[in-house]
Amino acid sequence: MAPIDPHSFTDSTHPLTSHISLHLYFDFSTSTIASSALITLCKPHSGDLILDTRSLTITSVIDPTTNTQLQFHLSSDVDPIKGQPLTVSLTNCSKILITFVTSPSSSALQWLTPPQTFNKKYPFVYTQCQAIHARSIFPCQDTPTSRVRYNAKLNVPHQLSGVMSARHVERRAPVMGGDSGFTCDESLWCAEGRVVEEFVMEQPIPPYLFAFAVGEIGSREVGPRTKVFAEAVGSVLDAAAKEFAGTEDMIRVGERLFGEYDWERFDLLVLPPSFPYGGMENPRMVFLTPTVIKGDASGAQVVAHELAHSWTGNLITNKTNDHFWLNEGFTTYAERRIVEAVQGEDIAALNIGIGWKGLVDEMERFKDNMEFTKLVTSQEGVDPDDIYSQVPYEKGFQFLWRIERQIGRAAFDEFLKKYIAAFKFQSIDTHMFLEFLKANVPGIENDIDLKTWTEGTGIPPDAMEPISNIYTKIVSLAHEFKQGRMPSEEEVVGWHGQEWELYLENLPKSVEASQVTALDRRYRLSESKDYEVKVAFLQLAIGSRCSEYYNVVEKTLKEVGRMKYLRPLYTALVQGNTKKEEEKIFAQRVFAEARETYHPIAQGVVESILSKHL
């Protein structure tokens, strides 16, 4: 057996899946989905076929062409990272039909009870499949090397509606006679009060981009290609529509820079506060945290990042997570080009500056394991959620920015368009990118040390901070704070969330408690509606042992589930000196009380932080 991906049981000698047809019956009373998956391989296969699963109960595996049972074995050994391999014995077979049931503990799914939703009336469920969680929804070759088309029928209670990272075909009543795809008894599938939402994805995507949400969902039109979806609460929908009103302008800028937008729609779904990421680039339907709705359109920068993924990540995908920078470094570069065109050079420079500080901080985080400061990593035996960091984003951005500076922006823009056209709808690795770069930019390897950039640890010497008056001014003011000088109100006039975030990120990790309270008394940072600002301030408060802010820390950890905020706050509470027993007990209590409100991925990340330091 030769695995093609350190995070998958998929064998390199087996044919890859070309299409999956899914039938999903949602049972909110048990937090499970009774399902069937008709898997089509790219060519007939004889012998064993291995699929990835996690926490699935397999009920049958059938050859649909002969309607005969196929021999299968679900391993009883559970790999803590990869799950359980499902081995099916085939004889010249290109299609298999698997029936199965998900687990309430599926790592991709969060089931919210009515009290956990805005309207408190109906339940809600949503997915997060990146990095390796699609296998907890359906058996698949859960590696980005595999790209599949799919169609899906979602059977849900009629009061609810479903959305997917796919084209919506129709909402209709269920029908007798095969509509259920063998997921459950037809009387259950066609029971009163059930509806079917049907979707199709005609373009091949990696499994981590499979996504759905089911709940009481409403929408607002914000552009010719964009609707904003969210729980059906007028105030949430209106705020989201206002925040993302400029989306069509960003799509047009993206097309000018990177070529035609290939996904037809660019809809946005604002999820409940427990969503573990800022955004997830699911094609046609980006998933977003409500924390990006800030009231000043700055949240649109997260949308710019997810939009950029439409070209880099979704259209061209890293073959495995060892090459994750190909998704995120390119997308961070593309995002900043879109932001620069729409919001101006100063805002883009602030973004680069915040990213630079994040990259420097990651060097400290990984000082005992510098492997994960490389662009090309070795992740055998490593859970990608545990080492998720800013390195692939910010070091990847720095590498591409370095190439741009070397050859000039106009030449680099031409190169980017060529690159996207050459590899669209393919999964590639770093070697393929570098060969393409050297072929299209002759002599680049003589000007830039490509090996140091991609395989070396740390930050290369030819990386650089942004050059911008506002960036320099803010960093200089942050340095003055170390000498006890607080910025005056005249100096911060016109500052928004990003300026404050950059300022706070550049302060020392701990200062005198009196300085923290004085800063907050003047500028009310602990009350900021912008979580980037609030969390940066709370990290400073924790580092400075300002326990009067711990009630705000607790409230924050209980009202949002975005890992960008959970990770630094829990880490600040528990890491460091032995005198922090009070903080450690506090962190354990808050997590115990908040745990059920977090997505399973976030639960795992916080558990790993606590187990490392307690």
Side-chain angles (χ1 to χ4, degrees), residues 95-114:
K95 288 180 188 283
I96 53 173
L97 177 65
I98 305 172
T99 59
F100 56 97
V101 182
T102 64
S103 161
S105 62
S106 163
S107 61
L109 297 170
Q110 183 169 25
W111 298 84
L112 300 175
T113 60

Side-chain angles (χ1 to χ4, degrees), residues 466-591:
I467 298 165
S468 139
N469 289 339
I470 188 157
Y471 172 78
T472 306
K473 176 190 169 188
I474 292 169
V475 172
S476 167
L477 286 171
H479 290 156
E480 287 179 14
F481 189 79
K482 296 169 190 176
Q483 279 80 53
R485 182 182 176 274
M486 199 188 306
S488 68
E489 291 184 13
E490 292 74 30
E491 287 170 317
V492 304
V493 70
W495 279 22
H496 297 293
Q498 275 181 300
E499 287 87 346
W500 276 114
E501 183 187 357
L502 182 66
Y503 177 76
L504 290 165
E505 294 284 358
N506 279 279
L507 295 181
K509 294 295 180 201
S510 67
V511 294
E512 291 297 320
S514 58
Q515 287 181 279
V516 177
T517 50
L519 183 65
D520 192 46
R521 203 176 301 120
R522 181 177 290 182
Y523 294 114
R524 304 287 184 201
L525 300 174
S526 66
E527 300 167 21
S528 175
K529 298 285 186 285
D530 186 328
Y531 279 92
E532 309 290 332
V533 175
K534 179 188 277 194
V535 170
F537 175 78
L538 292 177
Q539 283 176 260
L540 180 69
I542 295 167
S544 307
R545 309 291 297 276
C546 288
S547 55
E548 65 260 44
Y549 289 103
Y550 287 8
N551 62 330
V552 186
V553 173
E554 178 170 350
K555 184 172 181 287
T556 303
L557 289 170
K558 287 181 172 178
E559 67 190 6
V560 294
R562 186 177 176 185
M563 292 190 295
K564 184 177 183 181
Y565 309 140
L566 302 186
R567 198 190 303 269
L569 289 178
Y570 278 110
T571 301
L573 286 168
V574 298
Q575 80 174 5
N577 63 52
T578 52
K579 295 178 182 172
K580 296 182 82 172
E581 285 314 306
E582 187 186 324
E583 283 89 345
K584 290 178 179 180
I585 292 165
F586 170 76
Q588 285 177 296
R589 175 183 65 76
V590 171
F591 179 56

Side-chain angles (χ1 to χ4, degrees), residues 25-81:
Y25 179 91
F26 289 75
D27 185 345
F28 282 90
S29 66
T30 61
S31 300
T32 60
I33 306 171
S35 315
S36 71
L38 176 61
I39 294 173
T40 303
L41 303 175
C42 63
K43 62 182 180 182
H45 182 64
S46 293
D48 286 347
L49 179 76
I50 302 172
L51 300 172
D52 296 306
T53 78
R54 181 185 293 124
S55 307
L56 298 178
T57 301
I58 309 297
T59 51
S60 70
V61 183
I62 297 166
D63 179 345
T65 54
T66 61
N67 208 26
T68 55
Q69 296 281 339
L70 292 170
Q71 266 194 312
F72 70 92
H73 173 67
L74 183 64
S75 173
S76 57
D77 293 333
V78 180
D79 183 290
I81 296 168

Side-chain angles (χ1 to χ4, degrees), residues 35 92 115 136 239 256 268 337:
S35 315
N92 196 32
S136 69
R256 193 173 74 240
L268 308 169
R337 291 294 304 279

Side-chain angles (χ1 to χ4, degrees), residues 420-480:
I420 291 165
F423 293 112
K424 66 195 292 187
F425 295 112
Q426 294 179 53
S427 298
I428 70 166
D429 60 23
T430 303
H431 174 74
M432 293 168 72
F433 165 71
L434 292 177
E435 290 303 302
F436 186 80
L437 174 68
K438 288 186 281 188
N440 285 275
V441 186
I444 190 70
E445 66 271 31
N446 301 323
D447 299 315
I448 299 174
D449 188 338
L450 304 179
K451 190 178 173 73
T452 292
W453 268 102
T454 54
E455 298 176 33
T457 59
I459 302 175
D462 47 347
M464 66 179 272
E465 290 182 73
I467 298 165
S468 139
N469 289 339
I470 188 157
Y471 172 78
T472 306
K473 176 190 169 188
I474 292 169
V475 172
S476 167
L477 286 171
H479 290 156
E480 287 179 14

